[in-house]
Amino acid sequence: MLFTPWTILILAAFGLTMWAQFRVKGTFSKYSEVPVSSGMTGAEAARHLLDSNGLSHIPVEHIPGTLTDHYDPMSKTVRLSDPVYFSDSISAVSVACHEVGHAIQHKVDYPMLVARHRIFPLVNLTSGVAPFLLLGGLFLKISGLFLLGIIAFSVAVLFQVITLPVEFNASSRARDLMIKMGYIRNSEEREVKAVLGAAALTYVAAALMSVLQLLEYIWLFKRDSDD
């Protein structure tokens, strides 16, 4: 294993990532046992919220698994997992409305979502070759190859950083609309924030770890260039 001055920070960020994943599962599980006051299921809330925002053409589909919920911008579909689609819990309605938040972002051309969509094809390309370029450049001592790896990896890091405001904005939209539409009472907003905040932390931790890794690669490149 290669140890650098950045190693401890990266390990700490990795620990934060593991803790964030544990927390989101625990928080989701906790509030999956708490029914929402409106009695709506995740599927019902998503359908109603889409229709209320002029998005009746977007289907709400059930997919297997847990925490596999997402909005697919290519097919313009909201997909909800088992514990979200059928449940009337605070966790289910919160997650469902969050995914609808992405659909609303798509409708209004939310700038950060547009930026993420535009670089996604490039991310698919660079994320596959970046590890090989970095490892090849590092162990073969080819600085040009290593630099190409850094550039390729930086695209993936940029994608993760752009994802942060996209996720926070979707959660903010979801909370506001859930209250406005009467899906939750004001007294339930704290629980909704806990569910969506735990999910957001996973994105923050992942982005932090990627940024630290990028800084480490830049440090290695500069060190080898100075030798």
Side-chain angles (χ1 to χ4, degrees), residues 25-219:
K25 291 179 181 178
T27 304
F28 181 87
S29 177
K30 176 181 178 180
Y31 291 109
S32 290
E33 303 298 323
V34 182
V36 71
S37 58
S38 63
M40 301 181 78
T41 65
E44 290 170 342
R47 180 72 273 152
H48 186 269
L49 193 55
L50 286 166
D51 293 344
S52 300
N53 284 272
L55 297 170
S56 57
H57 60 285
I58 293 182
V60 178
E61 296 181 352
H62 165 248
I63 56 172
T66 301
L67 297 177
T68 51
D69 314 89
H70 63 278
Y71 167 67
D72 183 350
M74 299 300 294
S75 63
K76 294 186 178 180
T77 303
V78 171
R79 297 192 175 99
L80 304 178
S81 62
D82 292 324
V84 172
Y85 191 95
F86 299 106
S87 174
D88 64 351
S89 70
I90 284 180
S91 287
V93 176
S94 298
V95 171
C97 290
H98 172 88
E99 299 308 332
V100 174
H102 287 308
I104 296 173
Q105 288 176 333
H106 198 178
K107 175 188 176 183
V108 301
D109 288 331
Y110 177 61
M112 300 307 290
L113 184 69
V114 172
R116 190 172 73 166
H117 288 173
R118 286 179 177 173
I119 70 169
F120 183 72
L122 185 59
V123 172
N124 275 342
L125 173 64
T126 58
S127 61
V129 301
F132 299 102
L133 294 173
L134 289 166
L135 288 173
L138 183 64
F139 291 106
L140 297 176
K141 303 296 184 182
I142 304 175
S143 60
L145 192 63
F146 192 65
L147 179 58
L148 286 176
I150 291 175
I151 294 171
F153 183 71
S154 67
V155 176
V157 174
L158 177 62
F159 181 83
Q160 287 189 307
V161 171
I162 290 176
T163 293
L164 295 180
V166 172
E167 294 299 325
F168 281 114
N169 180 265
S171 291
S172 178
R173 289 175 189 269
R175 289 196 308 269
D176 292 344
L177 289 170
M178 287 169 72
I179 295 174
K180 179 181 178 181
M181 304 300 293
Y183 303 164
I184 62 169
R185 297 171 180 162
N186 289 334
S187 59
E188 295 172 307
E189 186 177 4
R190 182 179 64 85
E191 287 84 357
V192 171
K193 285 183 177 180
V195 172
L196 297 179
L201 184 60
T202 61
Y203 292 100
V204 172
L208 175 61
M209 185 170 178
S210 294
V211 169
L212 289 173
Q213 287 180 313
L214 177 60
L215 291 174
E216 180 187 38
Y217 295 145
I218 294 172
W219 179 85

Side-chain angles (χ1 to χ4, degrees), residues 215-227:
L215 291 174
E216 180 187 38
Y217 295 145
I218 294 172
W219 179 85
L220 287 169
F221 178 76
K222 187 176 184 302
R223 183 199 64 178
D224 293 343
S225 298
D226 292 340
D227 289 344

